[in-house]
Amino acid sequence: MPILVEKSIQIAWDFLERSGEITDPVDASRFLLRNIDDMARAGEHRPLMLANHAIDAYRRYKRLLAA
């Protein structure tokens, strides 16, 4: 499972970094790790699905912080 989580985080990180959405790397890495790890433990094992859900969750999280 660690390889699945690592791969999924890397996919999400690369996307968010390219789009310029990561303003605090430490916060982003903690968020993605927690989010992806929780989903993987709940049974999701498709890296792209984990990454996509984490990206969406991170965007919602950032909007809430900005409000």
Side-chain angles (χ1 to χ4, degrees):
M1 189 147 92
I3 293 172
L4 170 68
V5 171
E6 181 181 348
K7 182 176 181 179
S8 302
I9 290 171
Q10 191 63 55
I11 293 168
W13 183 273
D14 289 346
F15 179 86
L16 291 168
E17 186 175 49
R18 279 193 308 273
S19 65
E21 296 180 63
I22 295 177
T23 54
D24 181 349
V26 173
D27 183 52
S29 62
R30 287 181 183 154
F31 182 91
L32 293 174
L33 173 59
R34 187 172 47 249
N35 187 276
I36 289 172
D37 190 55
D38 287 349
M39 286 189 293
R41 289 180 190 277
E44 180 58 64
H45 298 290
R46 297 171 290 175
L48 194 53
M49 187 64 74
L50 289 167
N52 286 338
H53 280 287
I55 290 166
D56 290 340
Y58 183 74
R59 287 175 166 170
R60 285 191 305 273
Y61 167 71
K62 293 297 282 186
R63 279 195 302 268
L64 287 174
L65 288 179

